[in-house]
C-alpha cells in the first residue's frame, strides 16, 4: 500500500490591519445577535409557561431558575465581549497614534 499524496497547499491569508479590526468588530456584533436570539427564546419559554391555564408554583420557580442561569451566562459573556471591544479600541488607537507619528 502506498502513502497518500498530499497536494502542496499554501493557505496564505493576507489581511490588512484594518480588515482584522473589522472582522473582530463583526465577531462581537454576531455574538450580540446570538445573545438576542437566546434572550428571545427565554422570553418565549416564560410566555409559554405563564400562558398555561394554571402553572404550578414549582413550574414557575423552575423556569425562573433556568432563565436566571441563562442570564448569568449572558452577562458573563457580555463582560468578556466588553474586554474584547476595549482591546480592539486600543488596537485601533495604537494604529491611529502610529499614523499621526508617521505624518510628522
Amino acid at each position: 500500500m502506498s502513502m497518500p499524496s498530499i497536494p502542496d497547499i499554501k493557505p496564505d491569508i493576507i489581511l490588512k490591519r484594518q480588515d482584522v479590526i473589522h472582522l473582530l468588530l463583526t465577531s462581537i456584533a454576531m455574538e450580540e445577535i446570538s445573545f438576542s436570539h437566546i434572550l428571545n427564546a427565554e422570553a418565549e419559554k416564560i410566555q409559554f409557561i405563564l400562558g398555561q391555564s394554571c402553572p404550578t408554583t414549582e413550574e414557575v420557580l423552575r423556569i425562573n431558575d433556568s432563565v436566571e442561569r441563562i442570564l448569568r451566562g449572558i452577562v458573563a459573556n457580555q463582560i468578556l465581549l466588553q474586554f474584547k471591544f476595549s482591546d480592539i479600541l486600543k488596537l485601533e488607537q495604537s494604529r491611529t497614534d502610529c499614523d499621526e507619528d508617521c505624518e510628522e
Side-chain angles (χ1 to χ4, degrees), residues 11-24:
D12 294 333
I13 299 173
I14 300 171
L15 295 172
K16 295 179 182 174
R17 184 184 185 102
Q18 198 64 30
D19 294 335
V20 171
I21 291 171
H22 288 163
L23 287 172
L24 289 169

Side-chain angles (χ1 to χ4, degrees), residues 45-59:
K45 182 167 50 174
I46 292 170
Q47 288 174 346
F48 176 78
I49 291 296
L50 295 179
Q52 290 180 350
S53 58
C54 188
T56 65
T57 304
E58 183 180 308
E59 289 174 326

